[in-house]
Amino acid sequence: MKQLIYIFLLASIFVSCSDEVQEEAQQEVTSVHTIWTDKSELFVEYDAFVVGELSTFAAHFTDVSDFKAITEGKVTVSLIQGDKGIRNTADAPSSPGIFKPALRPKSAGTYQLVFEIETPTIKDRIVIENIPVYASMEEAIKKHPQEEEGNTITFLKEQAWKMDFANVPVQKRQTYNVIHSGGEILSAQGDEVTITATASGIVMYSDRSITVGASVSSGQQLFKVAEGGMTNNNLQTEFLQAKSAYEKTKLTFERKKALYDSKAISKTEYEDAELAYRLAESEYNNRARNFSSGGKTIRTKTVGYIKQLFKQEGEYVEAGEALAVVTQNKNLTLLAHVSPSDYPSLTPEISANFAINSIHYSTNELRGKLLSYGKSITAENPKIPVYFEINNTGNLIPGSYIDVWIKTNPKVEALTIPVESLLEDVGTYSVIVQLGGETFELREIKTGVSDGEYVEVLSGLKEGERVVSTGAYQVKMASMSGQVPAHGHSH
């Protein structure tokens, strides 16, 4: 009986030890790095280096110009110690954005890990220092640092690549005292031309393209003014009368010229005939240029866009009445309405940022300049007008109402992030901090002055940390919905 008990205890110990060995063997020892350059982002996962063991990389490469997966090219990975090393190249991604080279180290020590990526548009080199190579798996398990997950969000690269996503580093920038106000975009003075009728009659459009917003070229025919059945405005009669006078004075001039050449008439009589002919010729040519069987043509003398049409086709127009406004839209005027209490902050050095439909612009980027600002107010106009001239980028529309942030005297340099990074919840602001390639953290921050483009960070962030500037809300919602795994994944 004692012998059976002894055998049972030995078996139990053996099974226990076997389970521990198996558990230890199955323990994952994974290294993870995330490196950003001005060209690419590398997020790489690989088995910790052990002498004689093959370590395969899952190297995720992102093009930071659009934060999309790099889908072509080759990646070479090298493990270097001094002037010696090993390398391996993946000639193409195994799946979009993911390259899988592999290395089998030969000796233990501390190495330099180098990734080189080459695509038709990107050539980048990323160096990671102080990479250990362990003598055995047991040493790797014992010495390899284990990362603490903490209260983090996992959001896979494959998810980020499929959506509008971007991150930016927290940086120090010059900050300003800011006046936040409303405003509007106006056409610049001299940038618009009013097309008027040169005769009275019925308006006819030259073709169906004459609509608000249509582009026009210099000399293009826009309208015709037909006689409309009114005898005192008979365009055809006026044209025929001018033609008859021209032909009559021409014959007279030619006859007088022949007589003058033969000295049969005086020079004064010849010059009178020539003057009458030239005047009649000018009148005829003027009417001939603008006359057709459909009426008198109206042309534009400038290049631009039709901003406004005053007459519908078929309406009657008097000579001198406005038919249309053509705007060049090269320059625009930004008008901000400022409270009188902010008047002392207005100086000739001010600039402004403004937003239309959540798209932000800067007067400096649009080669803008301050034109003027009001020096008084009235009961009818209780706000101080501030005018800036800006170049039109092609997507700014006169008449648009805007939010304006006027930057006055500068403050000190401070940590800033894009306003798009902010998540607001009942007056409390937070951001999504990207800790690593697929690891994020929701962090509350305190903000200072905003110029509409960037916001000052008073606490909660450090310089160099990266915050999600596009897609922060989607990352937060995905983590709350349980659509992402708790940690890690296989590729």
Side-chain angles (χ1 to χ4, degrees):
M1 184 68 177
K2 290 183 179 180
Q3 186 175 3
L4 289 174
I5 294 173
Y6 178 72
I7 294 173
F8 177 78
L9 288 173
L10 283 178
S12 299
I13 293 170
F14 175 78
V15 170
S16 175
C17 293
S18 177
D19 288 344
E20 289 178 4
V21 171
Q22 185 176 359
E23 182 179 351
E24 185 176 90
Q26 289 178 349
Q27 184 175 343
E28 292 184 1
V29 184
T30 304
S31 293
V32 180
H33 303 281
T34 304
I35 308 293
W36 286 275
T37 73
D38 59 349
K39 299 177 183 178
S40 66
E41 174 198 296
L42 167 64
F43 166 62
V44 60
E45 300 172 304
Y46 61 96
D47 295 332
F49 291 122
V50 176
V51 173
E53 300 292 334
L54 184 67
S55 181
T56 301
F57 298 84
H60 306 63
F61 271 97
T62 302
D63 184 343
V64 296
S65 67
D66 58 7
F67 285 88
K68 299 299 182 185
I70 294 177
T71 58
E72 56 182 331
K74 64 179 182 179
V75 169
T76 299
V77 60
S78 305
L79 193 61
I80 303 171
Q81 187 181 61
D83 57 355
K84 297 182 180 179
I86 56 175
R87 65 168 48 190
N88 182 243
T89 298
D91 292 320
S94 59
S95 59
I98 303 176
F99 297 79
K100 289 190 173 182
L103 291 175
R104 192 188 302 273
K106 299 178 181 179
S107 58
T110 301
Y111 288 76
Q112 186 183 70
L113 186 61
V114 180
F115 290 86
E116 295 170 284
I117 182 167
E118 186 173 348
T119 77
T121 58
I122 294 176
K123 190 173 184 180
D124 208 359
R125 187 173 187 267
I126 297 171
V127 179
I128 306 174
E129 302 284 356
N130 301 318
I131 300 298
V133 174
Y134 301 104
S136 65
M137 181 59 70
E138 290 76 14
E139 181 186 5
I141 294 171
K142 183 177 180 181
K143 293 185 177 181
H144 189 77
Q146 298 297 315
E147 294 185 1
E148 294 183 7
E149 292 184 7
N151 187 25
T152 59
I153 302 169
T154 299
F155 196 75
L156 307 186
K157 300 305 297 183
E158 290 89 337
Q159 292 174 287
W161 288 334
K162 292 178 181 178
M163 57 179 271
D164 290 334
F165 177 90
N167 65 57
V168 295
V170 179
Q171 293 179 323
K172 283 188 176 180
R173 289 184 176 84
Q174 180 68 61
T175 59
Y176 297 83
N177 289 310
V178 174
I179 302 171
H180 187 197
S181 69
E184 54 188 309
I185 298 294
L186 307 174
S187 296
Q189 293 290 337
D191 204 48
E192 295 183 350
V193 176
T194 300
I195 309 298
T196 59
T198 55
S200 300
I202 303 300
V203 177
M204 293 187 297
Y205 287 12
S206 61
D207 58 61
R208 294 181 178 179
S209 68
I210 306 304
T211 56
V212 172
S215 59
V216 296
S217 56
S218 179
Q220 179 179 338
Q221 179 180 322
L222 301 182
F223 311 98
K224 291 180 182 180
V225 178
E227 55 183 294
M230 302 184 66
T231 57
N232 60 333
N233 289 305
N234 193 317
L235 303 178
Q236 184 173 5
T237 300
E238 291 175 357
F239 169 72
L240 293 176
Q241 287 175 346
K243 181 179 180 183
S244 176
Y246 161 70
E247 293 173 346
K248 182 178 180 180
T249 54
K250 182 180 180 182
L251 290 173
T252 300
F253 169 67
E254 291 174 347
R255 188 176 72 253
K256 295 285 187 178
K257 185 177 185 302
L259 292 174
Y260 176 70
D261 290 341
S262 62
K263 302 186 183 300
I265 60 173
S266 65
K267 183 178 181 181
T268 300
E269 188 176 352
Y270 165 74
E271 289 177 343
D272 289 343
E274 183 181 21
L275 178 60
Y277 163 64
R278 297 302 179 192
L279 290 173
E281 181 184 40
S282 177
E283 177 68 15
Y284 168 70
N285 288 337
N286 180 57
R287 294 191 177 277
R289 279 193 300 269
N290 295 296
F291 178 78
S292 71
S293 59
K296 194 167 187 178
T297 60
I298 310 294
R299 302 177 184 274
T300 176
K301 296 181 180 180
T302 186
V303 176
Y305 302 86
I306 297 176
K307 177 183 177 181
Q308 194 170 1
L309 292 169
F310 296 104
K311 294 290 182 179
Q312 297 294 326
E313 190 167 34
E315 287 190 76
Y316 180 78
V317 64
E318 292 282 358
E321 276 195 273
L323 292 173
V325 173
V326 174
T327 178
Q328 297 181 48
N329 260 6
K330 292 181 181 178
N331 298 309
L332 296 171
T333 297
L334 185 156
L335 168 60
H337 306 287
V338 174
S339 170
S341 62
D342 292 315
Y343 178 79
S345 299
L346 299 178
T347 67
E349 290 75 31
I350 62 175
S351 61
N353 295 335
F354 62 99
I356 302 176
N357 298 325
S358 299
I359 301 175
H360 290 82
Y361 303 89
S362 166
T363 56
N364 291 333
E365 293 174 355
L366 298 176
R367 299 180 182 178
K369 63 179 180 180
L370 175 69
L371 294 177
S372 64
Y373 53 88
K375 306 299 188 292
S376 63
I377 59 174
T378 64
E380 293 77 18
N381 298 291
K383 297 283 190 178
I384 297 173
V386 182
Y387 296 92
F388 295 89
E389 182 183 73
I390 56 176
N391 286 356
N392 192 0
T393 60
N395 54 358
L396 299 177
I397 303 174
S400 300
Y401 290 97
I402 57 177
D403 280 324
V404 184
W405 293 264
I406 297 176
K407 297 189 288 186
T408 61
N409 54 307
K411 298 171 59 180
V412 297
E413 282 195 344
L415 294 181
T416 61
I417 58 174
V419 294
E420 291 85 359
S421 302
L422 292 178
L423 297 170
E424 184 179 6
D425 184 13
V426 196
T428 300
Y429 292 99
S430 59
V431 294
I432 299 292
V433 181
Q434 185 165 0
L435 304 175
E438 297 181 334
T439 307
F440 299 80
E441 178 184 75
L442 178 64
R443 189 183 302 174
E444 185 176 324
I445 65 170
K446 290 184 179 180
T447 61
V449 175
S450 171
D451 64 7
E453 186 175 8
Y454 291 95
V455 61
E456 181 183 8
V457 178
L458 300 178
S459 65
L461 290 172
K462 297 178 181 179
E463 186 174 7
E465 289 188 299
R466 301 187 78 92
V467 298
V468 178
S469 55
T470 302
Y473 182 76
Q474 288 88 334
V475 174
K476 179 182 178 181
M477 294 305 296
S479 67
M480 294 172 64
S481 67
Q483 295 176 359
V484 293
H487 57 82
H489 63 289
S490 300
H491 294 281

